[in-house]
Amino acid sequence: MHLTDYEKALLQGDHGEARRMAMNVLYDMAQYYEVDRFVEIVSCHDDSTVYFGEAQVAFTEHLVDIGGKFAVPTSTNACALDMNKWKEQRHDRSWMTATRRIEASHLQLGAAANWTCAPYQAGFAPSFGQQVACAESNVINYVNSIIGARTNRYAGPLELLAGIAGRVPYFGLHKTENRKAVSLMRLADDITPDMFEDNDIYNLISHLYGKIAGDQIWALEGMPTNVTLDNLKQFSSTAASSGGIALFHLIGLTPEAHTLEMAFQGGKPEKEVLITKEMLREAEQDLCNFEHEGKVDLISIGCPHFSYAEFEALEQAFAGRKLPSDTEFWVFTSRCTQQSTTDSGLLDRIKALGVKVFLDGCTMEYPIDKWDTKSIMTNSGKFANYCYSKIGIHPVFGNYKDCVETAIAGKVVRAKKKWWN
Amino acid sequence: MVELNCKNVISDDITAELVYADKPFSFVGGVCIQDGIVQDYRHPAFKKQITGKIFAFPFGKGSSGAGLVLMEMLRVGTAPAGIINIRTDPVILTGPLIAKHFYNQLLPVINLSEEDFASLSGHKTIQIFKDKEVLIAN
């Protein structure tokens, strides 16, 4: 392996024990993947934040004890709960204690503690072509695909070591030649532009994308180009939950896919698959529990964390109507978006409608054992994919307008979808 | 008894019972950390306990929290004795690598060719070696 003098010094421990240990793990990994050098990273996204157990908490504290410090700006992912409103969410005190220890150790490592799974909407977005190390599947997918920065799928707590070492083995998606599409999906003619007025379609197409692509890189042709960043956020998170996706290309839309030729780096697609209107209906069957028709106990949105623009759209959907008092309508967002919506008065207006806004935490860590919740509705394809395995409930799926109408009516209301015809 | 050539990613001298599955596996949600029993009802190893066994699955899938789960299983003593894959992605490798470097705890990870991997089906025990890239299946 070709090492710089600085990397040799890091491996020998000239720059402290934490960096020596981090480099040794990364070096070992580089050997296995037969990588010949390291590449420096400019930032890191730390996903060792949702509580899994004592080993995780103790490991980060150990990194602090041996002098660990992040060498690059490192943002923190969502943790398990709202650090201030955990009682209102009915989380266990023990989870709160563990989360506070996670917070303390990550702050000591020098993390920028923004606790969000949409760091790219909270001031932490790399630029095109930059080398980074990210954990959290939606962040990996968004940063690679929508921004065109470069990361592999790093797992907690390996990204902590990448952040401390400031470099990773130069392999996989860090290298241009590994970022080309291998196969092609196309939207069929029966998927018409007016269908894209309903946000659901981004989740349905990305759900299909993940199922079809598996752990490969595919290009998708036929998407409209006037897609909002929030729709691309949903696309990234849903595709990464139905498949092992780390990078996708949308022709004419994402930065490494202005044209088909560019996405395939001059090569030809190995396979071609057509996505049809009928397949959208099948995807909707996967994501949505059509059996449930009555009142929904919990409506939970903000997976990934809600943006300012999404709060504005939510307020419009309410059109001044207030929630019935017995309705649990939860929105998860970041501290950053909380600040901007507070400053403009938007957050107070949203809360006055009866909506509960939570920070830091993750909708998937909902403490179901503390609530008498039998039904859940969400607008998130990712949450819909994981809700059964994490919480044991097959949720109703529908866009934020459907969620609002369902809450107001006290029973499931979903607008008639154009792909049903 | 069959002897197969393998690649030792992390190696040790051990012999242990085999739990073989021909489907990719996610440690997040796939296994109960407290008792080491596979809880993914769609997985062929469903209800089998992997604690102290050599767990063979072709490759990892799903959430990037797998490293944190394997570290916790090592801490509470429910981890498998070893892992056999066709290919091991960083998500699976993270836990065993960190255990090796930070805690001097070896969780061997072995790679086999696709064909040799499939031939493990039906065997009861596996022996692996610290210093040679061969495994013995009985």
Side-chain angles (χ1 to χ4, degrees):
Chain A
M1 197 168 178
H2 304 291
L3 297 170
T4 63
D5 290 344
Y6 180 65
E7 285 160 357
K8 285 177 194 161
L10 285 171
L11 279 162
Q12 285 164 18
D14 296 352
H15 296 278
E17 179 65 2
R19 287 189 175 154
R20 184 184 73 82
M21 293 297 289
M23 278 299 280
N24 274 286
V25 171
L26 294 166
Y27 183 83
D28 210 353
M29 175 167 273
Q31 297 291 308
Y32 169 60
Y33 292 110
E34 296 171 356
V35 182
D36 62 356
R37 70 174 181 93
F38 284 100
V39 63
E40 287 184 51
I41 54 171
V42 300
S43 68
C44 176
H45 183 66
D46 158 13
D47 183 30
S48 301
T49 48
V50 171
Y51 177 60
F52 276 96
E54 175 62 22
Q56 163 197 7
V57 183
F59 178 69
T60 315
E61 288 174 346
H62 178 67
L63 291 176
V64 172
D65 289 344
I66 61 174
K69 281 281 176 204
F70 290 125
V72 294
T74 298
S75 49
T76 49
N77 199 56
C79 60
L81 40 73
D82 185 314
M83 286 195 223
N84 293 301
K85 292 193 199 158
W86 56 278
K87 267 190 183 165
E88 193 180 332
Q89 293 175 315
R90 301 187 190 168
H91 275 289
D92 257 6
R93 183 174 290 274
S94 63
W95 275 57
M96 182 52 207
T97 313
T99 300
R100 283 292 186 196
R101 283 174 62 202
I102 291 171
E103 179 192 29
S105 55
H106 288 244
L107 285 175
Q108 282 177 286
L109 290 176
N114 52 352
W115 309 109
T116 180
C117 50
Y120 44 82
Q121 290 184 325
F124 281 84
S127 291
F128 178 80
Q130 286 188 311
Q131 302 286 357
V132 298
C134 295
E136 165 40 50
S137 63
N138 102 78
V139 179
I140 294 164
N141 219 8
Y142 189 98
V143 158
N144 268 324
S145 313
I146 308 303
I147 297 176
R150 299 177 173 200
T151 179
N152 284 319
R153 257 163 63 80
Y154 292 106
L158 187 72
E159 83 287 18
L160 301 182
L161 304 183
I164 287 170
R167 60 222 337 100
V168 289
Y170 187 46
F171 76 118
L173 297 178
H174 291 290
K175 302 177 84 166
T176 304
E177 62 267 31
N178 298 328
R179 298 175 65 84
K180 65 172 182 275
V182 295
S183 294
L184 178 65
M185 279 173 233
R186 288 179 202 272
L187 298 185
D189 290 343
D190 62 2
I191 296 178
T192 48
D194 55 339
M195 292 180 188
F196 289 87
E197 290 160 15
D198 187 319
N199 286 336
D200 280 353
I201 196 167
Y202 295 97
N203 281 293
L204 301 181
I205 294 173
S206 53
H207 177 75
L208 292 166
Y209 179 98
K211 280 178 79 170
I212 293 165
D215 62 356
Q216 291 183 321
I217 303 165
W218 286 53
L220 171 60
E221 191 176 36
M223 291 286 283
T225 48
N226 59 336
V227 184
T228 67
L229 288 177
D230 290 310
N231 289 145
L232 294 170
K233 173 174 73 174
Q234 284 294 329
F235 195 106
S236 301
S237 77
T238 303
S241 64
S242 61
I245 310 295
L247 168 62
F248 59 87
H249 297 297
L250 306 178
I251 303 300
L253 192 54
T254 55
E256 287 163 272
H258 294 176
T259 60
L260 271 175
E261 191 185 14
M262 189 178 171
F264 285 90
Q265 294 182 12
K268 289 266 177 290
E270 286 173 18
K271 280 184 276 187
E272 291 197 23
V273 171
L274 200 62
I275 293 184
T276 63
K277 191 166 76 171
E278 175 62 28
M279 289 162 77
L280 293 183
R281 291 196 286 259
E282 287 165 19
E284 201 172 28
Q285 289 288 341
D286 279 357
L287 293 177
C288 183
N289 177 357
F290 284 95
E291 309 277 293
H292 187 83
E293 293 175 340
K295 183 176 182 299
V296 174
D297 296 331
L298 171 70
I299 295 169
S300 189
I301 63 179
C303 168
H305 279 170
F306 233 42
S307 70
Y308 192 100
E310 288 174 308
F311 272 114
E312 279 191 315
L314 186 67
E315 187 188 29
Q316 282 176 19
F318 269 97
R321 296 168 296 173
K322 286 194 175 172
L323 286 170
S325 59
D326 60 343
T327 306
E328 294 290 335
F329 196 113
W330 292 16
V331 183
F332 289 81
T333 191
S334 66
R335 296 179 185 198
C336 177
T337 301
Q338 180 208 31
Q339 186 63 53
S340 52
T341 50
T342 300
D343 290 349
S344 71
L346 176 57
L347 192 67
D348 281 345
R349 297 199 300 275
I350 289 281
K351 285 181 178 169
L353 299 169
V355 174
K356 292 180 182 166
V357 177
F358 294 109
L359 308 180
D360 310 331
C362 173
T363 179
M364 273 180 271
E365 303 303 317
Y366 182 67
I368 182 79
D369 52 326
K370 307 285 172 34
W371 294 84
D372 187 25
T373 299
K374 301 284 192 296
S375 52
I376 293 178
M377 182 169 185
T378 184
N379 69 339
S380 158
K382 174 176 180 172
F383 184 36
N385 268 322
Y386 286 129
C387 191
Y388 188 81
S389 67
K390 293 287 288 186
I391 297 174
I393 290 177
H394 187 27
V396 179
F397 167 78
N399 66 40
Y400 67 94
K401 291 179 192 166
D402 294 335
C403 288
V404 168
E405 296 308 323
T406 296
I408 301 281
K411 63 177 175 91
V412 173
V413 179
R414 294 178 80 244
K416 189 170 176 298
K417 307 291 172 177
K418 290 188 171 128
W419 47 89
W420 289 354
N421 295 326
Chain B
M1 189 196 91
V2 287
E3 196 173 293
L4 302 170
N5 291 321
C6 60
K7 175 170 175 169
N8 292 349
V9 185
I10 296 175
S11 62
D12 200 6
D13 289 313
I14 56 165
T15 303
E17 201 180 309
L18 171 69
V19 174
Y20 173 85
D22 60 2
K23 288 259 163 60
F25 186 72
S26 167
F27 278 90
V28 176
V31 62
C32 172
I33 291 173
Q34 301 313 319
D35 60 21
I37 294 173
V38 174
Q39 60 186 12
D40 176 357
Y41 67 92
R42 293 162 299 192
H43 197 264
F46 181 50
K47 288 190 176 168
K48 288 188 182 155
Q49 190 179 38
I50 58 173
T51 305
K53 316 265 175 71
I54 291 181
F55 184 28
F57 56 96
F59 46 88
K61 65 162 187 175
S63 166
S64 63
L68 302 173
V69 171
L70 263 174
M71 283 169 66
E72 184 67 6
M73 292 181 81
L74 282 164
R75 186 186 75 86
V76 300
T78 56
I83 289 172
I84 299 178
N85 297 143
I86 295 167
R87 54 179 186 270
T88 305
D89 67 293
V91 175
I92 297 291
L93 195 52
T94 290
L97 268 187
I98 286 175
K100 174 185 158 189
H101 286 274
F102 280 85
Y103 302 112
N104 267 327
Q105 204 170 1
L106 289 178
L107 198 175
V109 178
I110 305 293
N111 287 177
L112 285 177
S113 71
E114 205 165 331
E115 195 180 320
D116 286 346
F117 181 88
S119 76
L120 292 181
S121 175
H123 286 93
K124 295 273 186 296
T125 63
I126 299 286
Q127 184 175 13
I128 58 173
F129 303 94
K130 194 179 181 70
D131 297 322
K132 55 178 175 175
E133 296 205 304
V134 157
L135 69 75
I136 296 171
N138 277 299

